[in-house]
Amino acid sequence: MLDPKIPAGRLEDKWDNYKDHCKLVSPANKKKHTILIIGTGLAGASAAATLAELGYNVKSFCIQDSPRRAHSIAAQGGINGAKNYPNDGDTVWRLFYDTIKGGDYRSREANVHRLAQISNQIIDQCVAQGVPFAREYGGLLGNRSFGGAQVSRTFYAKGQTGQQLLLGAYSAMSRQIAEGKIEMFSRREMLDLVLVEGKARGIIVRNLITGEIERYAGDAVLLCTGGYSNVFYLSTNARNSNVTAAWRCYKRGALFANPCYTQIHPTCIPVTGGYQSKLTLMSEGLRNDGRVWIPKQPGDQRHPSQIPEAERDYYLETKYPSFGNLVPRDVASRNAKQITDEGRGVGETGLAVYLDFRDAIKNLGKEIISDRYDNLFQMYQRITGENPYEVPMRIYPAVHYIMGGLWVDYNLMSTIPGLHVLGEANFSDHGANRLGASALMQGLADGYFVIPYTLGNYIATADLPSVETTHSAFEEAEATVRSKVSKLLSIKGNKTVTEFHRQLGHILWDCVGMSRDRAGLEKAIASISDLRQEYWQNVIIPGDIHTFNKNLEFAGRVADFLELGELMARDALAREESCGAHFRVECQTTEGEAQRNDEQFAYVAAWQYKGDEKTPELHTEQLEFDNVELTQRSYK
């Protein structure tokens, strides 16, 4: 049975009740405990800084050369908070409701309400750290609108919000490193979790520079490793983003929840060629002032400036008059796909729509638009050679964020005691679709404000005898890692890791992308299984384990992606409904919108590893909605 451990009481009182009654660790005892934190993005950096400040001994690990190179730095548009500075009607309840609705009623009420409650503390924390949020003339922090909301609640620093927030958390973390409370291990990749008496007590990592396999012991492990959308090969994620740490924990007994929920971001620079290695996100914040349109006449090849207003189709504004261009990401993406499937797309490939700032520049002036978006405009021009001040951007949906991840309870603890999972690496807050500007909110909420309480409660109540890295559990885990690496290096095939990864990405995009159906999912499962078998017989990996070897790094990650991709397809096949970003063609309304099946599928799907050649077992956590009514999601 999956017990989410949700506190008793009214929804708005649950978090306070938890804090009032959770067990605490005294300041004198905190220094006796070592916490291993994997990842230094917003979740990992904020957790490390906060726990070290409280007195714990923290060991922090990242795959980059510096913690501040974590992928959180790439977030652009903003972070949500229910401050209601614009006085336009926002409240904690409204942020909670918009998030539940945006996730198509497939997330826990208690977790989402806690996130909304904490949102205002996050903004205060970041301001105190010196994060340079935009400000209005009167001095209050500025806000912009984001998809899925009718209020302006998104705080931002031009198009660099993730960078500025991460620098704030990194500064707090650096202070604790200087104090000797955080020991930093960069260029380390976690390759296995060590369990002692059923509890997470250590990790096995590979030093990516020297190739050495290293062991580290602690009293708890915090997994803050971000998302795995690179399973699709082409995504907006940095090339190093991966699932390996989470996947190795899955193989040790942590359940994997909702792997089919993949967010396709509608505002990305389109694919330009077959050898492209990643895609570039253009912030959803651009949809505040940019208008999405395509020519009414299919195949219209005229320059956009030559297409008069009467011959333009502002399809989102027409179809969704209440929200217009600010519909949630899944809705905007599906509509862009439908438009291009009809042969009405623009650009050389026909796989793009326009995002036009002509009217905003005319009404507000170029200077104001520049203040809001100039770095984004510069980035677009450098990549495409086109000036968005003069011609519309061309955008198209791309894989962006992952709502699935390791299952956690209200304490952010997985099904393995002592293994806590924070930020995008867990499944907990976004349901079937994440609203824009909520990722940064969740990562910082988990790290700054949730884990200090829930981790303390765990340490105060768990039996945690001293464990050394000479323990037999460390020996077994290291042997498992070395065996897998040796097996990869011994194959000596003739097909590169990149070729396999690209082939997997094509299968997933075609069959488990913006729309799915039974035949395509069954085909994907069979195709990925065949590809996985070929991988272990025919991949080629130059070099060896004893030195810096990017090919070996990627080989291990792609091996895990191949297994994950099959699980994603299985999860999508088992969920015979459409909800949020999971769109089954067989399950849609007469108007082409997602059609849920609440009677059968109002649950979290959590998968248990049963063996490499065995079908994983599905467990479910039934979702209960006592405070919101389950309705057909509409943004019209």
Side-chain angles (χ1 to χ4, degrees):
M1 295 292 293
L2 289 173
D3 180 6
K5 297 189 172 109
I6 297 171
R10 300 186 309 159
L11 181 67
E12 55 268 38
D13 297 331
K14 290 183 184 296
W15 180 230
D16 289 335
N17 287 343
Y18 182 93
K19 293 188 292 183
D20 288 344
H21 297 98
C22 67
K23 301 295 183 181
L24 301 177
V25 181
S26 75
N29 288 333
K30 287 190 177 81
K31 62 186 178 183
K32 301 176 183 178
H33 295 282
T34 296
I35 313 301
L36 308 179
I37 302 180
I38 321 304
T40 57
L42 287 179
S46 59
T50 304
L51 295 175
E53 181 78 36
L54 287 172
Y56 294 101
N57 296 306
V58 173
K59 294 184 187 295
S60 179
F61 302 82
C62 69
I63 58 177
Q64 300 89 0
D65 60 341
S66 166
R68 62 190 175 89
R69 291 189 186 274
H71 188 58
S72 296
I73 206 167
Q76 298 170 345
I79 177 171
N80 287 330
K83 287 286 193 181
N84 194 34
Y85 285 157
N87 200 29
D88 58 356
D90 201 11
T91 63
V92 167
W93 172 266
R94 196 175 295 278
L95 174 53
F96 155 74
Y97 180 77
D98 286 346
T99 306
I100 286 282
K101 177 184 176 183
D104 216 352
Y105 306 96
R106 289 296 177 262
S107 50
R108 281 194 206 124
E109 284 188 339
N111 285 68
V112 176
H113 195 275
R114 176 175 66 185
L115 179 63
Q117 283 178 275
I118 290 172
S119 67
N120 290 338
Q121 294 174 262
I122 298 169
I123 303 304
D124 293 340
Q125 170 87 0
C126 295
V127 170
Q129 290 176 335
V131 173
F133 286 122
R135 291 185 179 268
E136 303 292 354
Y137 178 76
L140 289 179
L141 301 184
N143 287 111
R144 59 171 51 141
S145 298
F146 255 62
Q150 291 181 306
V151 296
S152 294
R153 62 162 68 100
T154 303
F155 297 81
Y156 65 98
K158 283 197 170 182
Q160 306 171 352
T161 313
Q163 179 181 4
Q164 300 302 330
L165 291 173
L166 186 59
L167 288 174
Y170 172 68
S171 298
M173 188 180 175
S174 296
R175 178 176 177 272
Q176 296 304 314
I177 293 173
E179 293 284 336
K181 295 295 184 66
I182 296 176
E183 191 174 1
M184 187 67 230
F185 298 89
S186 59
R187 291 293 195 187
R188 288 347 191 258
E189 181 170 27
M190 176 180 162
L191 295 180
D192 211 345
L193 179 72
V194 180
L195 304 185
V196 177
E197 296 181 355
K199 300 183 181 71
R201 297 302 305 272
I203 58 173
I204 305 296
V205 306
R206 180 173 181 265
N207 185 318
L208 299 180
I209 300 297
T210 67
E212 294 179 18
I213 304 298
E214 303 170 351
R215 310 174 183 180
Y216 297 91
D219 296 300
V221 176
L222 273 57
L223 202 67
C224 312
T225 51
Y228 49 82
S229 65
N230 274 343
V231 67
F232 284 85
Y233 185 72
L234 283 180
S235 82
T236 65
N237 280 201
R239 292 296 296 159
N240 271 329
S241 297
N242 64 85
V243 77
T244 288
W247 195 251
R248 306 298 169 87
C249 292
Y250 163 70
K251 288 193 164 186
R252 288 289 179 183
L255 299 194
F256 211 106
N258 296 337
C260 77
Y261 291 159
T262 304
Q263 183 169 82
I264 313 293
H265 197 296
T267 317
C268 301
I269 297 178
V271 176
T272 57
Y275 290 95
Q276 194 165 344
S277 62
K278 79 175 297 294
L279 296 172
T280 302
L281 170 71
M282 300 308 298
S283 169
E284 181 179 333
L286 293 168
R287 289 197 276 146
N288 272 275
D289 293 301
R291 300 179 70 190
V292 177
W293 65 276
I294 43 95
K296 288 184 177 179
Q297 184 66 35
D300 192 336
Q301 297 297 315
R302 286 179 292 174
H303 190 277
S305 64
Q306 302 301 313
I307 301 176
E309 189 73 13
E311 297 178 35
R312 299 182 175 198
D313 182 3
Y314 296 93
Y315 58 92
L316 291 179
E317 298 175 29
T318 303
K319 193 172 181 179
Y320 305 98
S322 293
F323 283 75
N325 295 299
L326 292 175
V327 293
R329 293 173 175 178
D330 61 316
V331 176
S333 294
R334 278 199 301 276
N335 276 270
K337 181 180 186 299
Q338 180 183 345
I339 288 293
T340 55
D341 286 349
E342 294 172 358
R344 302 172 63 200
V346 301
E348 292 182 5
T349 64
L351 295 177
V353 297
Y354 288 129
L355 181 63
D356 197 344
F357 291 86
R358 181 196 64 176
D359 292 343
I361 292 172
K362 178 181 178 181
N363 296 330
L364 299 174
K366 183 177 179 179
E367 184 176 349
I368 290 178
I369 297 302
S370 176
D371 286 341
R372 293 176 180 175
Y373 311 114
D374 188 58
N375 65 302
L376 295 171
F377 279 31
Q378 289 181 38
M379 181 168 67
Y380 181 88
Q381 185 169 5
R382 286 171 184 160
I383 292 172
T384 66
E386 299 175 354
N387 185 348
Y389 290 108
E390 299 173 358
V391 296
M393 289 182 178
R394 286 176 290 109
I395 58 169
Y396 194 67
V399 176
H400 176 56
Y401 188 90
I402 298 297
M403 283 76 66
L406 293 184
W407 184 92
V408 293
D409 60 19
Y410 192 77
N411 300 294
L412 302 183
M413 191 156 70
S414 72
T415 47
I416 298 175
L419 175 64
H420 296 75
V421 190
L422 284 64
E424 191 178 354
N426 75 38
F427 87 100
S428 65
D429 290 358
H430 306 299
N433 177 65
R434 178 176 69 80
L435 292 185
S438 287
L440 307 185
M441 178 173 62
Q442 184 207 352
L444 293 180
D446 288 354
Y448 281 138
F449 298 107
V450 177
I451 201 63
Y453 288 95
T454 62
L455 178 67
N457 184 72
Y458 169 73
I459 289 176
T461 56
D463 181 19
L464 298 169
S466 178
V467 171
E468 302 295 331
T469 57
T470 53
H471 191 283
S472 60
F474 283 86
E475 297 277 356
E476 182 273 330
E478 181 177 332
T480 299
V481 167
R482 289 187 180 277
S483 174
K484 183 165 187 174
V485 172
S486 297
K487 185 177 179 180
L488 282 168
L489 289 169
S490 69
I491 297 170
K492 306 296 184 184
N494 54 29
K495 191 170 175 180
T496 67
V497 173
T498 298
E499 288 178 282
F500 279 104
H501 194 182
R502 187 184 290 119
Q503 194 171 344
L504 172 65
H506 282 306
I507 295 170
L508 289 173
W509 179 250
D510 291 342
C511 302
V512 201
M514 274 192 279
S515 60
R516 301 104 183 251
D517 59 37
R518 173 170 290 277
L521 292 168
E522 290 174 343
K523 176 184 176 183
I525 293 170
S527 298
I528 295 171
S529 179
D530 291 343
L531 188 64
R532 180 159 48 86
Q533 297 298 324
E534 182 190 355
Y535 187 80
W536 287 100
Q537 297 171 5
N538 196 33
V539 70
I540 182 170
I541 304 167
D544 57 45
I545 189 177
H546 303 296
T547 185
F548 178 82
N549 189 340
K550 291 300 290 185
N551 288 289
L552 180 58
E553 287 177 45
F554 283 126
R557 295 168 191 172
V558 171
D560 295 329
F561 279 150
L562 285 162
E563 297 176 2
L564 168 66
E566 187 173 333
L567 183 65
M568 292 169 67
R570 287 189 184 279
D571 189 42
L573 182 62
R575 187 172 287 277
E576 295 180 340
E577 65 164 355
S578 290
C579 55
H582 168 64
F583 191 77
R584 285 286 293 266
V585 174
E586 309 97 317
C587 308
Q588 56 182 301
T589 68
T590 55
E591 296 179 322
E593 304 293 346
Q595 180 66 62
R596 298 193 318 271
N597 181 344
D598 295 327
E599 290 187 7
Q600 293 182 274
F601 296 101
Y603 61 62
V604 177
W607 295 86
Q608 181 183 9
Y609 173 72
K610 305 298 286 187
D612 282 346
E613 301 303 324
K614 297 180 180 179
T615 302
E617 182 179 352
L618 173 62
H619 302 267
T620 61
E621 176 203 335
Q622 205 67 31
L623 294 170
E624 298 179 1
F625 295 92
D626 300 321
N627 299 274
V628 298
E629 181 183 356
L630 292 173
T631 60
Q632 172 64 39
R633 193 171 58 140
S634 175
Y635 293 94
K636 294 182 181 293

